[in-house]
């Protein structure tokens, strides 16, 4: 099983779609193994988005992500990184396919509802940035034998 880092961004929280987004993740068959609501500090935001430090949108991205609480999660499943990116959709919600989270909920690249890790390396890095090992829970779900 693979783990990925998922975060409902401030616009998702402010628009009241936390439940809707989590529901899509669960409905797909993915398993939530850690979750918390938190306000991201400037420092954590800069670390999380370090790869975009030189981009023209970096300042706006940091203000956006620290503007209101987020819901951070660790999500587990077979090929979870790729599967979550697929249900999340393209970075720009205006171009994301209908049926994806961004495609169904957003209009603007600077307000795209959700983050998901894009590779095994970023998943590992981001999970460690947001969660301590004790916060990630190991448990069995009765439905798992019907999913795989
Ligand atoms: P994320 O990291 O948040 O899951 O999004 P992503 O992989 O689909 O996209 P990425 O290229 O990593 O960009 C990170 C976030 O920066 C904002 N962004 N703004 N042109 C712009 O104004 C622009 N481009 C990217 C978005 O919030 C994007 O999710
Ligand atoms: Mg990214």
């Amino acid at each position: 099983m693979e783990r990925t880092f998922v975060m409902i961004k401030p616009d998702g929280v402010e628009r009241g779609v936390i439940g809707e987004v989590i529901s899509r993740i669960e409905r797909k068959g993915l398993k939530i193994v850690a979750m918390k609501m938190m306000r991201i500090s400037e420092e954590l935001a800069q670390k999380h988005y370090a790869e975009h430090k030189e981009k023209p949108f970096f300042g706006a991205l940091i203000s956006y992500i620290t503007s209101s609480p987020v819901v951070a999660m660790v999500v587990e499943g077979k090929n979870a990184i790729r599967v979550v990116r697929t249900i999340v959709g393209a970075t720009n919600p205006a171009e994301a396919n209908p049926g994806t989270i961004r495609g169904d909920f957003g209009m603007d690249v600077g307000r795209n509802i959700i983050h998901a890790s894009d590779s095994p390396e970023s998943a590992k890095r981001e999970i460690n940035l947001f969660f301590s090992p004790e916060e990630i829970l190991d448990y069995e779900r009765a439905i798992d034998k019907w999913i795989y």
Side-chain angles (χ1 to χ4, degrees), residues 51-52 85 115 118:
E51 63 170 314
H52 298 304
R85 291 285 290 192
H115 162 82
D118 61 8

Side-chain angles (χ1 to χ4, degrees), residues 5-14 18 34-48 64-74 126-132 135:
F5 176 69
V6 178
M7 179 171 73
I8 303 173
K9 294 179 175 181
D11 51 327
V13 172
E14 292 275 349
I18 298 171
M35 179 159 65
K36 62 183 160 192
M37 190 176 210
M38 61 190 285
R39 186 88 181 225
I40 301 189
S41 68
E42 185 87 15
E43 192 194 351
L44 179 57
Q46 300 223 9
K47 278 189 193 157
H48 175 67
Y64 158 51
I65 216 72
T66 56
S67 63
S68 217
V70 301
V71 177
M73 282 171 267
V74 179
E126 292 165 3
I127 289 169
N128 288 333
L129 216 45
F130 283 82
F131 290 95
S132 60
E135 289 177 309

